[in-house]
Amino acid sequence: MKVTYIINGKKQEFDISPGEILLDLLRDNGYMEVKGDCYEGTCGACTVLINNVPYASCTTLAAGVDEAEITTVKGLGDINNPHPVQQAFAKFGAVQCGYCTPGEILSAYALLLKDPDPGEEDIKRALDGNLCRCSGYMQQIEAVKIAAKMMREAGDNGRV
Amino acid sequence: MDLKYVGKDIPRVDAYEKVTGTTKYMSDLSFDGMLWGKVLRSIHPHALIKSIDTSKAKALPGVEAVVTWEDVPGLNGFGIAIQDQPVLCKDKVRYAGDAVAAVAAVSKEIAEEAALLIEVEYEVLPVVDDPIRAIEPDSPKVHESGNILLHTEIRKGDIDKGFDEADLIIENTYYASRQEHAFLETEDGIALIEEDGTLTVYAGSHYPHRDQLQLSRCLNMPVEKIRVVSSPVGGAFGGKDELTIQPIMALLALKTGKPVKMVMPREESIISYWKRHPMIMIYRTGVKRDGTLVANDVKVYADTGAYASLGGPILNLALESSCGLYRIPHVHIDGYSVYTNNGISGAFRGFGVPQVTFAMESQMDIIAEKLGLDPIEFRRKNILKKGEVAPIGHHITTDVESEAVLDAMEGSRLWRERERYRGTDKNRPWIKRGVGLALSWQGMGLGVGLPDFGDAVIEMDPDGGFIVRVGCVEIGQGAMTVYAQVAAEALRFPIERIRVVIGDTRNAPDAGPTTASRAAYVGGKAIFLAAEEMNEKIKGYASGMLSVSPDEIEIDDGSAYVKTAKDKRVSYEEISSYAIERGGLPVAEGHFDLPTADKAIEGAFGLPHHIYSCCGQIAAVEVNTLTGQARVTDGAVVVDAGTVINQGGLEGQSEGGFVMGTGYALTEDLIIENGVVKTPNFSTYIIPTSKDMPSSIETIPVTNYESTGPFGAKGIGEIGMVPTAPAVTNAIYDAADIRVFKIPATGERIYELLKQKKGENK
């Protein structure tokens, strides 16, 4: 069957099998920034945004999100033009091995779209589905606070 | 010395790549014509293989190769210390997860289907799952040689005399769980045959050069024909120290001539690979009324699982630290590392020391309470200092900042304000709060009798910048950034124009394993030495260009100038052109041998170490007496770090270590019953999430200059998680008056202990 997505702003069509998992489809098509292999939705490394809501792509059927807008971390910004959430993570020590980072950044971005000035508990709740084994989560939480401030100051809510 | 890069707030050199999703991990690589590999693993923890029939799998369209033990061209065995683990099992399986056969096919789905078509006939054997029972002579044998991998016994003084002198003797048995590394990137990678017939293996690991050596043995291929690329790694914590998928991928690539990719799904990763050793620890500690420790009798049973890997060295490192960093005249230490059918245990951050630290620091807390002593004062009274004799009988000859660490713990905000964190919560009277602490020490580097060195190469590039090559890996700890900082400092050259190449046997020299808290220390020092040689070469070129003697040249910030006439200068771009004209760009090499102790401990291979790190931690907890659940609310980490090269990196290691330690203390238990893993995923094996994070973790470095390290630095990679569990369980005692002898202290266990206490009080 055929599905159409808008991935990072670009319309893409795929021929998929009915049982295909979104994570596999994305990685097989070169979206290597989407990580993860728990296939039960518990580690959060495979997080993508589907219509700006974070989902574990490892438990999402590709067929179920036909016509969706999908955002990966590359959709937020690149090295030359990183998004404030990406900048804050990079600058404030929120990255170690980096494998959880794309998913965490997307969860943080989705939170900030809804709530430009989240409290610490809100941030913890938003990142709860993204496991990180290197850090103690403190630097990520700080980074989200800093990103929120940068986005508020920029005034455009940081939406990409 | 005026430092420009070391100790400065330098952001990670790899951060922007990682936040924008452009970093290519080994699992992200793909090649044209790539096949997918799949392993068939034993479902039985212990069984004889009667036959393996691969014909149906081979006949499945899309299958390009099926391999068994018959296809292993060299030694069908690997293991860092002892090579007793088969690449593919021949006549026996020793754990549920042991690799029996493997398939390469054109798609992941076909590979999986084909693996299921391989028919293996087993004769099931009795399961060996209790390490104490396993060493009895009539136990079924995991290996023909018997179930004892290693027995180490160390005596100092006269243990009976010690207990005679004691006014108080405390005896307890402690249990530490099997911990999963839970790195986010599982064991993934690709193996392929290059056009010239050489083999390249891309797979994250701690030590590409040792992977290369082990592969060479298994494949019967010269080392020079194998290239291993093993960096960057999506987390490892010791779990990728031993070989994992590499030899099987390599066999499939050799058999098919095509690139073969393998990705471990989380469950297969957890079932099949390394864990922290569960340990049973029986402690008997004697102390005088005034708090002087006089005797310690320690018995340790470590469950190493089905194969040796590093089970022996892990036992010995545990024993070295088993009596804590204390002066104890009479010591008897008796340790066993035992084979069972309980999966496989291997290297994990702390390398055996978190287990014994849980036991010893619980003993210390119990004794302090019984004698009515302040826990810090009691430790200070017994603390080992440089020049004194350690519990295993050697002299401590280097700085281990034990007293300074205790002082800093005492001075930490959490300890000073501890009364605020204690007592019953006013609004929620079922919440009991408490504060606990623990101290730890651990040897750094590989120990006596083992080759422990690092090489680094620095090359000037044609634009006058530098390439720094060192064989350690970027495992998340920030090695690349530390190396760039050390190189920039030592070369007195802008950090932006230094490129660090690591983790690749072809492009970086052997610098030893990225383990044992040694990568920043050894790799950094080798870079420092290479930089000194490079600076001399640069001075040589500049002296030729400026017609003065090399002694008159000074270098700084990318140019070389005459000391007495600073306007007479040449840039490094000019030097590089000058060097190219004269035969080539300068290359410098640095070699560093890690200093080791001059005398070995008899009967304890690898012991003692020469340099030690020391860490003290304080934890504040809340215990919910209705549910039994404990939560760590605040923490303090004091670490003997030498010179801090990167404060952000230190905090990352210390906070990450502390939180990993709270998981070890409270929730993490990889349960194996009758040889079968019961918690093979993150829905059953629970690691801390952002919601479990404490409100604060204060990191306090004790910065004594380690004279042998790069700019005075020493390793801190492991020690940050070592004392956490006992700090937490001691805090639980302070909060709820219950003593935890078995970690993790899950809600169920605490609830049970609370219930018992209630019964006793009736």
Side-chain angles (χ1 to χ4, degrees), chain B residues 173-376:
Chain B
T173 302
Y174 297 89
Y175 301 85
S177 68
R178 180 181 291 104
Q179 190 180 24
E180 156 66 25
H181 302 79
F183 33 68
L184 266 285
E185 181 193 34
T186 55
E187 301 82 354
D188 308 337
I190 291 188
L192 58 92
I193 311 300
E194 306 283 354
E195 273 174 22
D196 61 3
T198 60
L199 169 75
T200 303
V201 175
Y202 297 92
S205 87
H206 289 262
Y207 189 7
H209 293 82
R210 189 180 50 215
D211 299 345
Q212 183 190 35
L213 172 72
Q214 291 218 68
L215 287 170
S216 149
R217 279 190 207 129
C218 298
L219 302 173
N220 196 21
M221 233 175 137
V223 166
E224 311 78 63
K225 293 207 160 164
I226 301 170
R227 176 187 175 201
V228 176
V229 182
S230 72
S231 186
V233 190
F237 314 105
K240 296 169 187 169
D241 199 13
E242 187 58 85
L243 287 182
T244 59
I245 55 172
Q246 298 95 329
I248 298 176
M249 288 196 309
L251 279 182
L252 292 170
L254 286 166
K255 187 96 175 176
T256 59
K258 295 181 182 173
V260 177
K261 180 165 184 169
M262 274 182 23
V263 170
M264 287 298 111
R266 181 60 61 181
E267 292 207 3
E268 187 173 350
S269 162
I270 290 189
I271 289 168
S272 311
Y273 293 115
W274 310 97
K275 303 287 170 283
R276 185 186 298 291
H277 284 69
M279 288 190 194
I280 301 167
M281 299 160 288
I282 304 162
Y283 271 64
R284 190 161 178 249
T285 309
V287 60
K288 287 189 174 174
R289 200 165 287 115
D290 67 354
T292 307
L293 290 167
V294 284
N296 206 24
D297 193 356
V298 175
K299 194 152 201 171
V300 174
Y301 297 93
D303 182 352
T304 207
Y307 297 106
S309 186
L310 288 166
I314 287 166
L315 174 70
N316 281 356
L317 196 77
L319 299 183
E320 183 179 35
S321 289
S322 65
C323 296
L325 186 47
Y326 305 115
R327 191 187 312 110
I328 310 179
H330 306 289
V331 171
H332 176 223
I333 301 170
D334 196 20
Y336 291 87
S337 188
V338 184
Y339 287 120
T340 66
N341 301 120
N342 292 333
I344 45 176
S345 307
F348 194 158
R349 192 184 208 172
F351 213 71
V353 184
Q355 294 94 316
V356 293
T357 303
F358 163 59
M360 185 63 198
E361 288 298 288
S362 297
Q363 290 286 89
M364 292 298 284
D365 204 62
I366 293 168
I367 292 168
E369 206 237 347
K370 292 244 188 253
L371 295 178
L373 298 170
D374 172 81
I376 291 185

Side-chain angles (χ1 to χ4, degrees), chain A residues 16-91:
Chain A
I16 62 163
S17 57
E20 199 156 344
I21 299 290
L22 183 61
L23 169 63
D24 293 338
L25 176 75
L26 291 171
R27 282 185 66 87
D28 288 348
N29 285 284
Y31 295 93
M32 291 306 193
E33 67 275 27
V34 187
K35 310 294 185 194
D37 23 44
C38 75
Y39 289 97
E40 62 160 17
T42 48
C43 84
C46 69
T47 303
V48 295
L49 303 186
I50 297 173
N51 303 326
N52 280 328
V53 177
Y55 277 84
S57 62
C58 76
T59 50
T60 302
L61 283 173
V65 290
D66 190 15
E67 297 186 346
E69 215 174 284
I70 295 173
T71 311
T72 76
V73 78
K74 283 194 174 169
L76 297 193
D78 60 22
I79 284 195
N80 299 318
N81 188 21
H83 186 273
V85 181
Q86 292 170 316
Q87 287 177 42
F89 267 64
K91 267 193 203 157

Side-chain angles (χ1 to χ4, degrees), chain B residues 31 48 138 255 323 334 345-346 398 473 480 500 521 610 658:
Chain B
F31 293 88
L48 296 176
D138 65 338
K255 187 96 175 176
C323 296
D334 196 20
S345 307
T398 54
V473 299
M480 288 177 79
V500 179
Y521 170 83
H610 181 63
F658 186 82

Side-chain angles (χ1 to χ4, degrees), chain B residues 154 156 389-395 599 601:
Chain B
I154 301 167
K156 188 182 75 132
V389 179
I392 59 167
H394 69 294
H395 283 84
K599 217 175 99 203
I601 304 286

